[in-house]
Amino acid sequence: MSQADDDLKWGRSKIDTVCPLDCPDTCSLEVTVENGKILSIDGSDKNPITDGYICGKVRRFGERVYGDARIHQPRIRTGPRSAGQWKTATWDEALGSIASRMTEIRQQWGGESILPFSYGGSNGLLSQDTVDARLFRQFGAARLARTVCSIPTRTASQALYGKMPGVTYADYCNAKLIVIWGANPSSSSIHLLPYIRSAQEAGAALVVIDPRRTNLARRADLHLALKPGTDVVVALSIHRYLFEQSLAAEQFLAEHTEGAIRLRERAAEWTFDRAAAVAGLDPELLENFAEMYTDISPAVVRCGWGLERNRNGVNAALAILALPAIAGKFGVRGGGYSMSNADAWMLSPDDWIGAPEPNTRIVNMNKLGRALLEYRDPPIQMLFVYNCNPVATMPNQNLVLKGMNREDLFTVVFDQVMTDTADLADVVLPATTFLESYDVARSYGSTNLQLARPVIEAVENARPNVEVFAELATRLGLDIGTDYASDAEALLRLTADFPDEAQRALMEGGLAEGVARGRPIQFRDVFPRTTGRKVYLFPEHLEQQSSIGLYRYKTENENRDYPLTLISPATEKTICSTLGELRARVARLHIHPADAESRGLSTGDTVRIFNDLGEVHCTVAINADMRSGTVGLPKGLWRMSTLNGSTANALVSDSLTDIGGGAVFNDARVQVARVVTVSFTEDPMLTKNTVEQPH
């Protein structure tokens, strides 16, 4: 019997769709469905970049669709917060309750007392900033500054180059030098790895800049294990070398840039010796890197997002992204930089939202706990969370929990599964996954758009975002039009604003390629989207916004009580906090052998990681790949993944980056001590730990 006959016998079908989750790769998928249920999720070859291979995270996504944590019906809280006491409700009851409370709160406190809280990293273009934005704008709600991720790098790249597309994966094969700075493709963009390997096999050199010895760093010609937060001084030392050795691309700078002199002035103080002392590196390694970057072309810099997660986030990104301009690395295939290509299509939600943005107050999402507890005139009286799990992802976790536990706060959570945030809600609404509704996924590793199709019917009473917000808007008496009544209709409305060729390719073939057939050469096919197509190496408007100025280094706050830097890198287990419910084991703190020895720690010990903001209890893993003085807990942990219900974010302050208002997750300073004994009382909340003091 042929495979086709076998599929027909068992009622199987294979459906093409795409993964929109927060990863640069945007894999095309082939989902096998049997009798209306997902049987398996595999890669398809529709997207030539991902070419049939997908990560284990998405391969397991069916476990989320059908897992115990899945929300099947709307729920309304009947007991104390987080007590798990709910009654099942109909959609009519749930939306009626929400509409009634929204109306009452606006009448008493004003629309700005309602805070919509979302982050669209793991969503397509349809499921955020369409009818939801139209509703909240018309209702006069507070606005959210979505700054928890990518805002420092986006601020820097836009100031320097506008929204110029970068080097895509396929052109890494043409590079003779590849610099991976603040990124770990093994965890967060696996389809870049074959292109890097192919380039290495053809003789390319590889430099990895990361506090950890990642899998890629082991295969690198040069690994700079710098101290977190010091990327800016490392980059500035390379700039100084280029200028002082007369190696800067003077003709390119004269024709295509402004501000090179100001950058040179700021870089002048950063000798290799000084930068190495701050970054904790051997000066010879910096000189080797500078010589490699000068001598080898084509050279591409992959600027990641790890380097932005500290007090110097924007200045670090500015200094790194300016390197190809100063060194003259543009204009050839495989030369330049790559970061995010999300804006390659120049699509703006304002094109389809259909409602002007109100002049209401803006709340920085990194300040959520403070906003819930301290903001007045008016206070936040309602929190509407969707496409986000703030208890697991926002800084200053204990303050967020305290704010969300306010009894006078009305909280709605619209999600696929019962997250840590949903546990604290008053009303929980069941959302569809990307396998149950239409969407458009925009790649930010390449330049394509792909059509997401529902492969199964919505599980029980789950509904797509657009339908729920459209119905809620109707109940609130808002006139949002009829173009978002369903996700299929919303898809047609959304794509009507796309270029004709892209719309046709998307609807007919499921994939539309971007500029230069998906492989633009910077300064040949694409140029800065700035005034005069110039690179603004010293953007004055950012200088005015910064308290320390551009290309400056803000020193860390030395604290002998908390001598270790805690970082929270992405892992192979989750996409941000998505799929955190599937994590089976308690998280482990990774620590260098020297730091473990000085604290009397062995692998498997229970430890307390702490600072003035809180503490996390977990087990420890001694890991020689960590930099000494730096410890790591995984990004996106749920509270169930530690022994005391706190995660790394409980140790992260809600301070902001130098410019742009980004989060400083990798600036947490902590101490680690072994938990010697655990004594249990009748009340588990009063369990006592005996902690061995660090040496």
Side-chain angles (χ1 to χ4, degrees), residues 586-587 616-618 633 637-647:
V586 170
V616 179
H617 296 190
C618 64
L633 275 171
L637 288 177
W638 287 27
R639 299 180 69 197
M640 67 180 184
S641 292
T642 66
L643 297 173
N644 70 329
S646 291
T647 71

Side-chain angles (χ1 to χ4, degrees), residues 336-353:
Y337 73 87
S338 57
M339 200 186 67
S340 172
N341 282 322
D343 292 314
W345 285 91
M346 296 295 286
L347 299 172
S348 170
D350 286 327
D351 294 337
W352 52 75
I353 290 174

Side-chain angles (χ1 to χ4, degrees), residues 507-558:
M507 292 305 185
E508 293 177 0
L511 183 144
E513 285 285 5
V515 292
R517 286 179 290 180
R519 296 180 62 183
I521 298 175
Q522 294 173 316
F523 285 88
R524 185 186 296 179
D525 302 313
V526 292
F527 292 85
R529 291 167 174 170
T530 59
T531 304
R533 304 205 303 185
K534 294 280 190 180
V535 183
Y536 290 99
L537 292 168
F538 201 92
E540 294 288 351
H541 67 287
L542 294 187
E543 169 85 349
Q544 295 167 11
Q545 293 175 26
S546 174
S547 60
I548 60 170
L550 296 187
Y551 302 109
R552 300 288 197 191
Y553 171 69
K554 185 177 182 180
T555 58
E556 64 180 300
N557 296 320
E558 296 287 351

Side-chain angles (χ1 to χ4, degrees), residues 229 232-233 236 262 266 269-270 310-316 318 538 542-556 656-659:
V232 59
V233 304
L236 288 174
R262 299 290 304 280
R266 295 285 167 94
E269 62 183 295
W270 290 104
N310 65 79
R311 63 201 177 278
N312 296 304
V314 173
N315 273 313
L318 281 170
F538 201 92
L542 294 187
E543 169 85 349
Q544 295 167 11
Q545 293 175 26
S546 174
S547 60
I548 60 170
L550 296 187
Y551 302 109
R552 300 288 197 191
Y553 171 69
K554 185 177 182 180
T555 58
E556 64 180 300
L656 303 177
T657 53
D658 43 2
I659 308 168

Side-chain angles (χ1 to χ4, degrees), residues 71-312:
I71 306 166
H72 295 285
Q73 308 281 351
R75 301 178 182 183
I76 296 177
R77 179 169 67 94
T78 59
R81 290 199 192 278
S82 70
Q85 297 175 13
W86 307 92
K87 72 171 185 177
T88 299
T90 65
W91 273 102
D92 184 64
E93 290 176 296
L95 291 179
S97 171
I98 295 168
S100 175
R101 289 300 298 271
M102 287 181 70
T103 301
E104 292 171 3
I105 289 170
R106 185 172 68 169
Q107 288 174 347
Q108 183 173 359
W109 301 97
E112 291 177 300
S113 65
I114 297 171
L115 179 61
F117 202 93
S118 62
Y119 191 83
S122 285
N123 295 275
L125 296 176
L126 196 61
S127 51
Q128 183 163 295
D129 287 338
T130 53
V131 68
D132 54 313
R134 191 180 294 188
L135 183 158
F136 289 120
R137 286 183 179 190
Q138 288 191 14
F139 203 73
R143 293 175 289 166
L144 184 72
R146 297 188 182 118
T147 53
V148 72
C149 180
S150 80
I151 191 66
T153 43
R154 192 188 325 151
T155 298
S157 63
Q158 187 159 339
L160 289 169
Y161 299 103
K163 297 179 178 180
M164 182 174 70
V167 179
T168 53
Y169 291 4
D171 283 338
Y172 275 65
C173 295
N174 298 92
K176 295 302 181 185
L177 173 65
I178 298 171
V179 180
I180 305 296
W181 200 321
N184 182 17
S186 300
S187 294
S188 55
S189 51
I190 58 174
H191 296 91
L192 179 57
L193 294 173
Y195 295 101
I196 295 174
R197 284 196 293 268
S198 178
Q200 286 185 288
E201 290 168 1
L206 175 65
V207 176
V208 173
I209 303 176
D210 194 297
R212 302 164 299 148
R213 187 168 57 205
T214 61
N215 288 336
L216 202 58
R218 291 190 187 95
R219 301 200 298 268
D221 297 272
L222 181 64
H223 173 215
L224 301 181
L226 77 181
K227 292 169 69 173
T230 63
D231 306 81
V232 59
V233 304
V234 170
L236 288 174
S237 73
I238 309 303
H239 283 294
R240 181 185 186 278
Y241 174 82
L242 290 167
F243 283 119
E244 294 300 319
Q245 299 298 316
S246 300
L247 297 169
E250 297 295 345
Q251 183 175 345
F252 179 89
L253 294 177
E255 293 178 2
H256 296 287
T257 76
E258 290 185 9
I261 293 175
R262 299 290 304 280
L263 169 54
R264 179 174 185 167
E265 291 170 351
R266 295 285 167 94
E269 62 183 295
W270 290 104
T271 63
F272 289 141
D273 286 341
R274 186 182 179 204
V278 170
L281 296 170
D282 183 341
E284 188 175 341
L285 292 180
L286 287 186
E287 188 170 3
N288 290 345
F289 174 40
E291 290 174 349
M292 291 172 71
Y293 192 65
T294 300
D295 295 342
I296 304 174
S297 291
V300 60
V301 176
R302 171 70 171 99
C303 180
W305 289 269
L307 58 92
E308 72 169 16
R309 294 157 63 94
N310 65 79
R311 63 201 177 278
N312 296 304

Side-chain angles (χ1 to χ4, degrees), residues 16-37:
D16 286 334
T17 188
V18 61
C19 172
L21 300 180
D22 194 357
C23 165
D25 295 6
T26 322
C27 297
S28 57
L29 304 178
E30 181 182 80
V31 183
T32 302
V33 176
E34 182 176 286
N35 296 324
K37 292 198 69 173

Side-chain angles (χ1 to χ4, degrees), residues 333-410:
R333 191 168 295 282
Y337 73 87
S338 57
M339 200 186 67
S340 172
N341 282 322
D343 292 314
W345 285 91
M346 296 295 286
L347 299 172
S348 170
D350 286 327
D351 294 337
W352 52 75
I353 290 174
E357 190 169 9
N359 189 29
T360 52
R361 72 175 170 190
I362 298 174
V363 177
N364 186 311
M365 67 191 313
N366 295 311
K367 301 281 189 180
L368 175 61
R370 209 168 295 279
L372 294 176
L373 293 169
E374 299 176 6
Y375 284 22
R376 297 291 181 267
D377 194 28
I380 302 297
Q381 294 295 115
M382 178 179 178
L383 184 67
F384 198 123
V385 179
Y386 61 105
N387 300 347
C388 195
N389 181 11
V391 169
T393 56
M394 294 302 117
N396 209 341
Q397 184 180 57
N398 289 329
L399 203 64
V400 171
L401 287 167
K402 185 177 179 181
M404 292 196 65
N405 272 296
R406 278 175 39 201
E407 280 300 326
D408 64 330
L409 178 71
F410 184 70

